[in-house]
Amino acid sequence: MAESALFVLVEKILETLTSNMVSIPLIDPLIKMLMKIPAVNVIVAFVLWKPIFHVLILPGLLGLTLVLLFMIYFERKITARVQWRVGPKEVSRRTGGVIQALADGMRYLFQEVIVHRDAHGFYFLQFPLISFLPVLLPLLFIPAGSVWGIRSVYAIPIALALISLIPVFIIGMGWASNNKFAFIGSVREAFMYFAYEIPLLIAFLAMILLYQTADPFEIVERQSIPGILLNPLAFLAIFISILIATSRLPFDIPEADQEVAFGPYVEYSGIVFGLVMSLPYEKLYLLSLLSVILFFGGWKGPEIPLLGDLAPVLWIFIKAVIFMCVVALARSIYARYRLDQTLKMSWSVLITLSFASLLLSAGWLAWLGL
Amino acid sequence: MDEMVEFLHQGMLSLIKRWGTKWSIWPTHLVTACCGVELAHAFASGYDGERLGVLNFGMARQTNCIVVEGAITRKMARILKITYEQMPDPKFVIVMGVCGIKGGLFWNGYHMVKPYEVVPVKYFAPGCPPTPESLLRCFRALQDEITTGVGKNTISFQSSKPSGEVKKRKRPKRVPPSPKYIAKNPSVIVDVERVEKWEDGEEIRREIEEILGDLAESVKITGKNRISVRIGVENFFDAGLRLKESGFDHVKSVNIVDVPHEGKFIVEYVVSSYLNERYVSLLLTLISEIDRVDAHFPSMIEVWQSADYLERELHDLFGVWFDGNPGMGRNFLIAPDTPKNPLRKDFKIPQDVYVGGV
């Protein structure tokens, strides 16, 4: 009796999972073969179930890892090329050293993790781990075509609200480090947080006003021409805000390594440092996905029948990576601003720019009579 | 195989450990000397150390290698040790420059420390300064050692005898004996009169004599724009006051000459003027002699503020006690563990002493 009840339960679960699976015609025969094997079929169905596929594979955790490894490599390589150097190469000569970041990660993984005596040990190790919460949760709300985690009319505001939690954890890390450089870095981070967050939100609001909805599906649906042409001012404001938010070079003031020795992250070593240093990149990835949805038509792209549901996911992923590459280029061609210059710029120019973008959106609406 | 490399060779994941560490050596650099320039060069566009996965880094906590550039003094040795202990295991040390091997230019100095006595050094890059190639060769050698577990010299010199005509062997030249540590009876005269070098100076010499009156024992011209005055220790302070009033407003330098066989120190204050145009180009040397055992001298900081640091430095190096200077009795420039009075002529360097025999 108990056995049959379990069997029925598994059947039910399998039925629920298979009803909402990612369909990829290219690997369909393989999936069909695997689905015939008991036990394995549950795992395959679970992984290919759309919400789990979205969070774990693309554009979720696996995509995030790939982006991290690629972006760190790309940033170093493009900086090297700008400086007339070769950049990372010898680790894999044929591919131009593309696995350099992986080697660095492996080295960090096997290095000692030092928790120094002055640190608040509990929070010191806890914050880097919890900070993955505001990184992974927004991913649930950012859809990619027919693959999505949670569908909501307020998806974009929710994602933004969760992303804006990240600096809180960074400040917490600086506090737990109990180091003067970490303290200075945390205070800088707090200053910058208030400086960029308001223009960023207003510019996003301008785009939401333009589309008259915060639902990503509707937004992508309504973009017959890309949003960047409709409201370039909002794009400019968001682009600069993203540079500040993710501590890219013209604004990498909280973690300026020549001044405050990585600021809040100064005391982290080993794999924990690898975790905390990837935070800005993860934030950049999330904000790029949002910008692609708002300005570059999201997952719209040429249909690829062979890939089925995977094609829109790939399109949004590729667009986001290209956007990130453009952002990464800023690192190699700009010098660092001072804190007061950045604050002055964001509280005057950037906030004006975002309000102007709001006016532009309102102007479009008035002109079109919506 | 030392413990750091041994750690990389242990366990099931040793292959990944070795691969990761090999291609990700991030050196933090401890610049103490000119080798820092060559290190910068090794990571700039010409040589580009980043090809090898070697990323130059500023912080100790996140790195696994430390490049010691140049001479390590007693003060820096402590910092080197702290920096090394801040780094997470496994970690490696590379020493650049000949100063880090045996002291190089500063060999046998009282303040020199050999880096390999402070931290376990993996590779040395000799040279003064070594070329970027030789630094990069160190990194390659370290990478090889991480994979194979065996450290090797990267260079070995062939020795060969000259063939062909054999020259007639001369008797080898004898190296002349090194000068004796303390000469028997050298005459240390610091104010030799040289009137012929500055014939117009007689007028100024007489003016100085008038200013000092009976305080001066002798006033001599020792070169162009140079005048030396001998003053007794008891009159030194008053003479300083008088000179200050007549326009000598600062001390250029304070020197001490150690004359151990006569049991005395010769103290020299070189004073000059910025404000009195007549004395701007003049260097006036005030000379006084004090006992070597009970070395006390009146401090001149109440007359000339600029003498303060010079006096403290001489207190470090010679142990002369300048009465009235607040910095006496503690170290000013030298590290706490440096032996006392290193510039006295009878000072013995603790190890490696073979200058001058004995």
Side-chain angles (χ1 to χ4, degrees):
Chain A
M1 188 63 198
E3 273 177 22
S4 68
L6 192 69
F7 188 72
V8 170
L9 190 66
V10 169
E11 276 293 297
K12 273 275 181 206
I13 291 172
L14 201 60
E15 200 179 311
T16 320
L17 295 178
T18 41
S19 66
N20 194 15
M21 257 170 58
V22 180
S23 81
I24 305 166
L26 188 64
I27 54 166
D28 238 11
L30 183 70
I31 302 288
K32 275 203 182 112
M33 200 180 74
L34 286 174
M35 288 303 280
K36 280 174 197 155
I37 311 167
V40 175
N41 61 1
V42 181
I43 296 168
V44 171
F46 182 70
V47 170
L48 287 180
W49 190 44
K50 275 178 181 173
I52 292 298
F53 184 85
H54 178 270
V55 174
L56 281 190
I57 316 287
L58 265 180
L61 209 57
L62 187 70
L64 189 65
T65 318
L66 286 178
V67 159
L68 273 179
L69 293 177
F70 175 71
M71 282 318 293
I72 292 170
Y73 159 76
F74 179 79
E75 209 171 69
R76 283 173 67 176
K77 194 79 175 174
I78 197 83
T79 310
R81 294 311 297 159
V82 167
Q83 294 171 356
W84 283 26
R85 291 188 286 121
V86 181
K89 177 159 190 189
E90 299 284 324
V91 61
S92 60
R93 287 185 69 89
R94 292 278 176 78
T95 51
V98 76
I99 49 175
Q100 178 64 53
L102 188 65
D104 290 336
M106 287 299 116
R107 195 257 293 172
Y108 272 137
L109 190 60
F110 293 109
Q111 265 196 310
E112 189 185 3
V113 174
I114 299 172
V115 181
H116 58 292
R117 207 184 299 147
D118 291 343
H120 193 301
F122 183 60
Y123 291 137
F124 185 76
L125 291 176
Q126 198 187 25
F127 276 132
L129 301 179
I130 312 181
S131 61
F132 269 85
L133 222 59
V135 170
L136 290 181
L137 281 181
L139 271 174
L140 275 174
F141 293 93
I142 302 173
S146 58
V147 180
W148 74 81
I150 298 174
R151 186 165 183 173
S152 160
V153 206
Y154 304 110
I156 286 180
I158 291 173
L160 274 176
L162 287 169
I163 291 169
S164 66
L165 278 179
I166 295 175
V168 178
F169 291 99
I170 295 177
I171 292 167
M173 284 173 208
W175 173 78
S177 293
N178 198 4
N179 176 304
K180 68 178 170 191
F181 290 123
F183 178 70
I184 296 169
S186 303
V187 172
R188 286 180 171 196
E189 175 77 34
F191 270 120
M192 303 269 286
Y193 177 49
F194 285 104
Y196 77 79
E197 197 71 29
I198 295 166
L200 184 76
L201 289 178
I202 293 174
F204 267 103
L205 196 66
M207 292 315 285
I208 289 170
L209 181 68
L210 185 64
Y211 298 125
Q212 301 223 308
T213 173
D215 184 9
F217 292 93
E218 283 287 303
I219 288 175
V220 173
E221 198 64 20
R222 288 181 189 183
Q223 277 185 67
S224 48
I225 48 172
I228 183 172
L229 299 177
L230 295 173
N231 199 339
L233 291 182
F235 177 72
L236 198 60
I238 285 179
F239 188 79
I240 299 172
S241 299
I242 285 176
L243 285 180
I244 305 178
T246 58
S247 305
R248 295 293 90 198
L249 194 74
F251 308 107
D252 75 335
I253 293 153
E255 55 203 56
D257 52 340
Q258 292 92 343
E259 295 166 24
V260 288
F262 280 131
Y265 318 133
V266 61
E267 291 290 357
Y268 285 97
S269 60
I271 189 63
V272 189
F273 177 70
L275 287 183
V276 297
M277 263 326 272
S278 59
L279 265 184
Y281 291 91
E282 286 152 2
K283 201 175 170 186
L284 175 61
Y285 178 60
L286 292 171
L287 287 171
S288 312
L289 283 176
L290 283 179
S291 318
V292 165
I293 286 177
L294 286 180
F295 294 106
F296 297 104
W299 49 84
K300 272 187 193 167
E303 291 268 333
I304 306 170
L306 261 184
L307 290 179
D309 284 345
L310 196 63
V313 183
L314 273 182
W315 282 125
I316 192 170
F317 186 69
I318 290 168
K319 281 178 184 178
V321 169
I322 292 171
F323 184 85
M324 286 171 79
C325 289
V326 176
V327 174
L329 187 63
R331 187 179 199 90
S332 50
I333 52 182
Y334 284 113
R336 186 180 301 125
Y337 273 76
R338 283 203 315 268
L339 179 64
D340 60 318
Q341 287 170 330
T342 310
L343 292 183
K344 197 179 167 192
M345 197 206 70
S346 9
W347 283 107
S348 57
V349 176
L350 198 55
I351 209 160
T352 318
L353 198 65
S354 57
F355 274 117
S357 72
L358 201 61
L359 280 180
L360 186 64
S361 290
W364 273 111
L365 291 182
W367 189 50
L368 295 171
L370 286 170
Chain B
M1 216 190 288
D2 71 350
E3 54 175 341
M4 296 298 171
V5 180
E6 205 178 332
F7 164 75
L8 294 173
H9 280 258
Q10 279 166 356
M12 283 162 64
L13 297 169
S14 84
L15 203 68
I16 305 174
K17 270 195 261 186
R18 271 182 283 160
W19 178 76
T21 313
K22 179 183 176 187
W23 294 113
S24 166
I25 297 167
W26 288 13
T28 179
H29 54 287
L30 197 84
V31 185
T32 54
C34 49
C35 292
V37 181
E38 295 299 317
L39 178 118
H41 197 175
F43 293 97
S45 53
Y47 293 92
D48 190 22
E50 207 180 345
R51 281 179 298 132
L52 310 173
V54 179
L55 183 68
N56 204 1
F57 223 64
M59 280 68 72
R61 269 268 196 268
Q62 290 92 27
T63 52
N64 62 346
C65 178
I66 179 166
V67 177
V68 180
E69 294 149 36
I72 293 296
T73 55
R74 280 167 190 271
K75 255 184 187 174
M76 283 308 287
R78 192 163 157 269
I79 290 161
L80 173 63
K81 187 80 182 166
I82 290 171
T83 313
Y84 181 74
E85 281 174 359
Q86 275 185 359
M87 292 183 350
D89 290 349
K91 53 196 171 187
F92 313 100
V93 182
I94 287 172
V95 170
M96 252 183 116
V98 84
C99 301
I101 297 174
K102 275 262 179 180
L105 191 64
F106 311 104
W107 177 76
N108 212 7
Y110 64 90
H111 60 295
M112 290 300 295
V113 173
K114 298 175 190 79
Y116 55 82
E117 289 173 351
V118 184
V119 290
V121 177
K122 274 257 173 268
Y123 287 96
F124 291 101
C128 188
T131 53
E133 292 99 324
S134 95
L135 180 63
L136 293 180
R137 188 192 274 261
C138 279
F139 286 121
R140 288 245 66 148
L142 183 56
Q143 287 179 340
D144 284 348
E145 183 174 346
I146 287 166
T147 20
T148 59
V150 185
K152 274 190 222 154
N153 278 337
T154 63
I155 195 162
S156 59
F157 296 102
Q158 285 185 341
S159 62
S160 62
K161 286 181 177 175
S163 56
E165 190 181 335
V166 182
K167 278 188 176 175
K168 192 186 167 190
R169 284 192 67 181
K170 287 180 183 172
R171 267 182 65 195
K173 273 185 187 169
R174 279 192 63 196
V175 180
S178 49
K180 283 297 176 198
Y181 190 55
I182 298 169
K184 277 272 156 42
N185 202 5
S187 52
V188 182
I189 302 166
V190 288
D191 51 346
V192 182
E193 188 153 24
R194 294 196 189 89
V195 185
E196 70 277 4
K197 288 202 169 172
W198 189 28
E199 284 154 3
D200 314 335
E202 186 57 28
E203 195 184 334
I204 289 184
R205 193 193 73 85
R206 218 170 292 134
E207 277 172 33
I208 301 286
E209 228 168 21
E210 266 170 38
I211 291 165
L212 289 172
D214 56 345
L215 296 182
E217 289 167 9
S218 71
V219 182
K220 290 176 185 169
I221 293 174
T222 52
K224 188 168 187 199
N225 290 333
R226 304 282 189 282
I227 289 179
S228 291
V229 185
R230 268 186 187 274
I231 306 170
V233 185
E234 63 283 356
N235 296 329
F236 208 88
F237 192 78
D238 297 335
L241 282 176
R242 285 195 199 174
L243 287 169
K244 170 104 187 200
E245 276 165 23
S246 53
F248 289 92
D249 48 15
H250 69 283
V251 170
K252 283 239 193 281
S253 75
V254 181
N255 314 320
I256 286 178
V257 183
D258 187 12
V259 194
H261 52 280
E262 291 176 25
K264 67 178 183 185
F265 283 126
I266 302 172
V267 185
E268 298 178 341
Y269 279 71
V270 182
V271 298
S272 182
S273 170
Y274 287 131
L275 301 175
N276 192 337
E277 266 185 44
R278 191 162 170 73
Y279 302 137
V280 164
S281 58
L282 175 67
L283 287 184
L284 184 68
T285 311
L286 311 179
I287 299 165
S288 190
E289 289 177 4
I290 53 172
D291 183 32
R292 197 164 176 279
V293 181
D294 181 32
H296 279 265
F297 197 81
S299 171
M300 302 303 283
I301 55 170
E302 281 176 33
V303 186
W304 294 299
Q305 192 67 46
S306 59
D308 187 8
Y309 282 6
L310 302 166
E311 284 172 2
R312 290 190 199 196
E313 189 185 347
L314 290 173
H315 177 70
D316 273 3
L317 298 173
F318 287 97
V320 174
W321 197 283
F322 288 90
D323 299 316
N325 191 320
M328 294 298 109
R330 47 201 165 97
N331 282 354
F332 178 51
L333 286 178
I334 60 176
D337 57 340
T338 312
K340 292 287 172 212
N341 315 332
L343 285 197
R344 285 197 184 198
K345 279 190 182 152
D346 54 359
F347 173 78
K348 291 267 193 293
I349 294 171
Q351 323 104 17
D352 279 35
V353 177
Y354 39 101
V355 167
V358 185

